Amino acid sequence: MPFEAPFQQAGTGTAVLRGNLAPDGAVIKQSAASPHLLEHRGRALVFDSPEAYYAVAADEDLDVDEDTIW
């Protein structure tokens, strides 16, 4: 696998993420993430199982938009 440069400069540290998917917080290494992953506000659509996701993933009437994470 060829070497790929990090998304951010080395030494930028870590970021603590919080939200409805990580109510107690989560930690991400900033140099391993593209900038859009470090901040997002929007609704998360969560499924209980892969089967539940696959059952509705192709439904054009599913209540999602470009800001929904699912």
Side-chain angles (χ1 to χ4, degrees), residues 8-41:
Q8 294 187 20
Q9 293 181 345
T12 56
T14 57
V16 177
L17 308 176
R18 296 192 185 277
N20 61 336
L21 292 179
D24 295 325
V27 176
I28 188 169
K29 182 179 173 185
Q30 292 183 39
S31 63
S34 55
H36 80 277
L37 293 176
L38 299 177
E39 183 174 333
H40 177 80
R41 293 196 185 275

Side-chain angles (χ1 to χ4, degrees), residues 28-63:
I28 188 169
K29 182 179 173 185
Q30 292 183 39
S31 63
S34 55
H36 80 277
L37 293 176
L38 299 177
E39 183 174 333
H40 177 80
R41 293 196 185 275
R43 186 172 68 104
L45 184 58
V46 180
F47 299 91
D48 292 326
S49 67
E51 294 79 17
Y53 164 78
Y54 291 124
V56 299
D59 184 352
E60 292 182 14
D61 294 326
L62 190 60
D63 184 22

